[in-house]
Every structure is written in structure tokens, then in C-alpha cells.
Amino acid sequence: MPVINWILSQQVQLGMILCACLFVPWGQRRSCFVPRLAAGVWVFLALTDTLAFLPLWARLLLYTTLLFGLIWFSFDCSPLHALFYTTCAYAVQHIASKLAYMPIIWLIQHGRTDRLDTFVILLFSNLVVCLVIYLLFTLRIRRGRLLFDNVKTVLYSGFFLIAAVYLSVVLEDVLDSSAESYLTAYLALNAFCILFAITI
């Protein structure tokens, strides 16, 4: 259980790192790749753990900034590409976590609060979403070299990140958990967040 509790406490960070593996250019690794990657992951997790007192919206932006640094530090890619990989990783993690928390909240509303159930649902959701994204999207990227011809992708990425944080944090906080319509409103908001992330 201590391992499961640690994973659950780091679920967003670990999910972002896992999802980044779908997009990063594995054939363009920097020299001393393994030490760089290990050090980057350690700094990522250590800093996010140290700054856990920050409000949620600030933590999410911190995670994104640190993931960008980790990717750029470990892979031989431009900052533009690193930003694209980072945003894609955030989007996929966003989809996986929203899918997972829809049944988790339903279970909590019905008196089930077992952390093992939460862990299994999160793990299953992340694995399924990552597999679908890999087969439908990133497998195509692997067949060639990703190129950008303008800054539209960066602008869309920034728009997604800001909007996703707003939808996830601000609007969820507005919902009244004691209201009878809370579960319906929560599920509808999360479904919209998923659709929004897929569209971007």
C-alpha cells in the first residue's frame, strides 16, 4: 500500500511523464541520455513534491514547465518541438485522468473509497488511452520527422493548456458537492474536458 499511496499522490506527474513517452523523439537523444533522463525525472518529482503547497492551478503549470525542461534537457529537439511534446503529453494525461475520475467519483458518491480501486481504475485508464493514442496518432509520427511551418501549433498548445487548467480547476471548484445534481454536473464537465482535449 505505501507504493500505491505514493503513486496516487504523484499521479499527475507520473501520468505526464508516461504520456510524454508517446511523443518524444527517441531517435534524437542527447549525449549521456540515461543520466540526463534520470536526473531530470528526479528533479521533476522532487520539486513537485517540495512545492505541493501551491494551489492546484499553479502546480499544474509547474508540472508542465518542468516536463518541458525534462524533454528539452534529455532530447535533441528545438524548444518549439519540446513545447509540442509537452502539451500533447498534458492533453493525453488530461484525457486519461478525466476518464478515470468519472467512475471514481461515482464510486465515492456511493460510499466506495478504497484506494486500491482508485489505483486500478487510474492504471487501466492510462494504459488504454496511451495505447489508443499510440495506434491512432503517434505511430504516424514515428514514420517520419515532425516539422512545423508556422507558430499556429504553439499558439494552439498554449490555448489548450490555459483552457484545460481553467476547466479542471476553476469550474470544478464552483460545483457544489452537496447538491443533488453534483454527480451529473461533474460527469458532464469531465466529458466536456475530454472532448476538448481530443479536439485540440
Side-chain angles (χ1 to χ4, degrees):
M1 283 302 287
V3 175
I4 291 177
N5 288 336
W6 180 80
I7 292 174
L8 289 175
S9 70
Q10 306 282 334
Q11 60 183 277
V12 177
Q13 302 94 301
L14 294 174
M16 290 177 72
I17 293 171
L18 171 67
C19 295
C21 294
L22 295 170
F23 300 96
V24 291
W26 291 103
Q28 299 171 237
R29 292 169 290 189
R30 294 189 187 276
S31 58
C32 303
F33 171 73
V34 173
R36 281 174 175 268
L37 184 63
V41 170
W42 182 83
V43 169
F44 185 105
L45 295 177
L47 274 178
T48 55
D49 190 49
T50 303
L51 299 174
F53 61 88
L54 293 172
L56 181 56
W57 66 267
R59 294 203 308 271
L60 293 175
L61 293 177
L62 173 68
Y63 300 162
T64 307
T65 303
L66 290 173
L67 184 63
F68 169 83
L70 171 62
I71 292 172
W72 188 74
F73 181 66
S74 303
F75 294 91
D76 186 15
C77 60
S78 70
L80 192 67
H81 283 77
L83 179 60
F84 175 76
Y85 303 137
T86 301
T87 311
C88 287
Y90 185 95
V92 176
Q93 186 278 328
H94 193 71
I95 294 168
S97 65
K98 293 300 177 187
L99 275 176
Y101 269 93
M102 291 168 79
I104 288 171
I105 287 296
W106 185 87
L107 289 174
I108 291 174
Q109 289 281 309
H110 290 79
R112 294 282 300 275
T113 57
D114 193 313
R115 292 180 70 79
L116 184 59
D117 290 345
T118 301
F119 172 75
V120 171
I121 293 171
L122 277 168
L123 181 63
F124 180 76
S125 176
N126 275 276
L127 291 177
V128 169
V129 170
C130 284
L131 180 62
V132 170
I133 294 295
Y134 174 74
L135 293 176
L136 293 182
F137 297 104
T138 60
L139 193 57
R140 298 177 183 179
I141 295 175
R142 301 293 173 209
R143 294 172 182 159
R145 183 177 177 85
L146 184 65
L147 299 173
F148 292 106
D149 59 356
N150 54 47
V151 297
K152 286 183 180 178
T153 302
V154 178
L155 295 177
Y156 292 152
S157 298
F159 170 74
F160 163 76
L161 182 60
I162 294 169
V165 170
Y166 177 82
L167 289 171
S168 299
V169 180
V170 178
L171 293 187
E172 278 190 17
D173 285 347
V174 172
L175 299 178
D176 181 6
S177 59
S178 62
E180 288 186 11
S181 60
Y182 172 74
L183 184 58
T184 302
Y186 182 88
L187 295 178
L189 176 59
N190 278 263
F192 180 78
C193 288
I194 292 169
L195 179 62
F196 178 77
I198 291 173
T199 303
I200 293 298

